[in-house]
Amino acid sequence: MKRKTFWLLTALALLALLLTACAPAAAPTEEQAAPEEQAAPAGLEPAKEIVFYNWSEYIDPEIYTLFEDETGIKVVEDNFSSNEEMLAKLQGGATGYAVIVPSDYTVSIMIEEGMLAELDQANIPNLANLSEQFKNTYYDPGNKYCVPYQWGTTGIGYIDGEVDEPTSWAVLFNPDPNHPAYGRTTMLDDAREAFAAALVYLGYDINTTDEAQLQEAKDVLIQAKAGLAGYDSDTYEDLLASGENLMAHGWNGDFLVAQEENENIAYTIPEEGGVIWVDNMCIPASATPEEKLAAEMFIDFILRPDIGAMLSDYNYYASPNAAAEANFDAEFLEDPTVYPPAEVLDKLQFIHPVGEAESLYQRLWDEVKSAAP
Amino acid sequence: MYRFLGKHTSLRAWLLLLPAALWLFVFFVAPLFIVLAYSFLERGTYGGVVWSFTLENFQRVFDPLYFNTFLRSFYIAGVTTLITLILGFPLAGYIATRPAARRGTLVLALMIPFWTNFLIRTYAWLTLLRTNTGLINVTLLSLGLIKEPLSLFGNDFAIILGLVYGWLPDMVLPIFAALDRLDPALIEAARDLYASETKVFWRVIWPLSLPGVVAGSMLVFIPSLGAFVTPAILGGGKSLMIGNIISNQFLAAHDWPFGSALSFVMMTVMLAATLIYFRVTSGKERRQL
């Protein structure tokens, strides 16, 4: 009998353990949310800690320290490497993120899907610091849902001296086995960016939904594969700096950061044109009122002229912040890699959401990536 | 109450099973059913699912594009299993025939590299295999042994190498366990009866180690078939395995239902393979015993 009692008690203890192990995950949020939701918004206290979901190497960690010193709010960073990855994680029900950094076309998608909280502009007085064109973007006129963070372009980085400046996307899409960068080139592992490059090369709109044009773009993307070392969105600039590769399809600021390691790295936008993009700070609809308030304080902090300058000083991307630009060196403001001249700007296009054609893009991208090189 | 339970032993067994059953149900069975349910739904344009029934996701699995990736994954996993078996069997045999005191040390030595995270070990291979800055090519080039760098990265060779490296201990350990249990007297008996060394191996050692070989092969084949980190890193993202296609459906293509259908088909195929494999081998063993 005693042994039976022992086993029975063990089983019950295990069950209790299981139940308590499951419980804490749910309990605190309920406790916190209930009393404070009833409190008047005026008496709302900002969250003590927020999670900033950002692209990697995109912010000077010193900014977190300054923000915490000033407000007492701790910022924890988590990273993603593509808009689609971030979107999938939030669609999957991930919560706890207070500020996220989607690019332009992804902002449109998230607004349409009801995934973003409307900003309380009264909490973001530094919005006034934005340059005029960033107050009325195509995807969010009037900054109702988001505040531009940094902007940049997509083109080709290369090792000057070993490779001639690529003047056409043909260098990728019509690979020549005698070219020094043959087999030492990478392309972004990103369906929309890769198709944009191919469509620009073919002279089509980068947001086309025409199947024939997309098939043609798929064919040149497969053709490009022969000359590629691989698809890479995270380490391509390091591979240029180390001498492994000689050419890479990528984002301008990344190449500038890598220049510190290898001064021969150069960046160009081929004559056919390229992609221009703006990354934005937004608050997911899933944020609690306390998190949202802290997030708005953080966004306001980033918009300060000195902090905006720190940001560009760290990630080498152009700032949407006119007041911050006053703190930049003339050299940075005149660098055509960061601020493309007007004639280049004219040839750049924004990626837009393509709605139902999205699945066509992805299916063709699967074909490209599965094709025998 | 325990007196009541004492009389109802089956009820008591159920109570004892309850925590484990609950655990399995909440964290294993329920998610599996969610995956199954999703695979019959339509995709939301930007992720999520639309609640309307369709069989289209399963039709798409047989689209040549995806079906060929399935076949390729089977091929890569099969080659990986074969190579780990060829490398792992002699190693297991070597360890099993050492004195008892050294066996523990050798098994430990086999495990030590695996205390480091798999992702980091895969990246470590990159520094060896890179075409122009990798240690192997740089060394061979500077010694003048080759004129052009060898293509060691971004192809099936690199993927299979990474998988063999990753799963070798999973092959060695079960075979070692089987050989360890093998009674040396049986081998002596075979020799006394004038069996050649080859015959001793094929008629005595191999059949008795077969349970270990089967277990090891399953432990290597199944994770290799679903691999996605190794092809993504060592394959340079240029050639996909089915694991990459599935992860892309969730992380890039916003097509959860199709990703679920692919996972489900793969699970079914693996389950069927496992059942057939075990049935065949256990039958053989019975006959040989």
Side-chain angles (χ1 to χ4, degrees), chain B residues 88-123:
Chain B
F89 200 98
L91 183 57
Y94 175 80
I95 298 175
T97 50
R98 290 316 93 185
R102 279 186 58 201
R103 268 178 253 167
T105 323
L106 288 170
V107 170
L108 189 72
L110 187 71
M111 297 308 295
I112 283 174
F114 297 86
W115 296 349
T116 310
N117 183 293
F118 184 64
L119 198 62
I120 292 172
R121 283 183 285 127
T122 309
Y123 271 107

Side-chain angles (χ1 to χ4, degrees), chain B residues 80 84 114 118 121-122 125 159-171 219-220 223-224 230 234:
Chain B
T80 302
T84 48
F114 297 86
F118 184 64
R121 283 183 285 127
T122 309
W125 270 107
I159 297 176
I160 292 173
L161 181 70
L163 290 173
V164 167
Y165 164 75
W167 302 115
L168 188 61
D170 290 54
M171 181 63 92
L219 285 178
V220 173
S224 302
T230 314
L234 294 179

Side-chain angles (χ1 to χ4, degrees), chain A residues 55 58 103-104 133-134 139 148-155 188 193 236 250-256 267 269 274-280 312 315-320 325 332 335-340 344-345 347-351:
Chain A
W55 303 77
Y58 210 16
S103 309
D104 36 64
Q133 79 251 42
F134 291 103
Y139 50 89
Y149 179 75
Q150 294 288 77
W151 66 274
T153 58
T154 316
L188 289 173
E193 285 281 12
Y236 61 87
W251 297 301
N252 58 339
D254 286 0
F255 295 114
L256 288 173
Y267 173 82
I269 295 168
V275 174
I276 182 171
W277 46 263
V278 182
D279 286 337
N280 307 272
S312 285
N315 63 28
Y316 288 66
Y317 282 103
S319 179
E325 284 176 339
F332 188 72
D335 188 339
T337 304
V338 186
Y339 290 93
V344 175
L345 271 177
K347 289 187 291 194
L348 301 178
Q349 301 177 59
F350 274 104
I351 292 177

Side-chain angles (χ1 to χ4, degrees), chain A residues 217-281:
Chain A
K218 178 200 82 183
D219 291 340
V220 297
L221 282 166
I222 292 175
Q223 203 172 299
K225 241 179 141 173
L228 294 184
Y231 296 98
D232 187 334
S233 303
D234 302 310
T235 61
Y236 61 87
E237 72 276 25
D238 303 328
L239 294 176
L240 279 192
S242 73
E244 174 67 25
N245 292 331
L246 298 177
M247 206 159 71
H249 170 224
W251 297 301
N252 58 339
D254 286 0
F255 295 114
L256 288 173
V257 172
Q259 258 178 10
E260 285 176 10
E261 274 180 68
N262 182 341
E263 59 182 14
N264 293 326
I265 293 178
Y267 173 82
T268 189
I269 295 168
E271 275 160 14
E272 296 97 338
V275 174
I276 182 171
W277 46 263
V278 182
D279 286 337
N280 307 272
M281 296 176 280

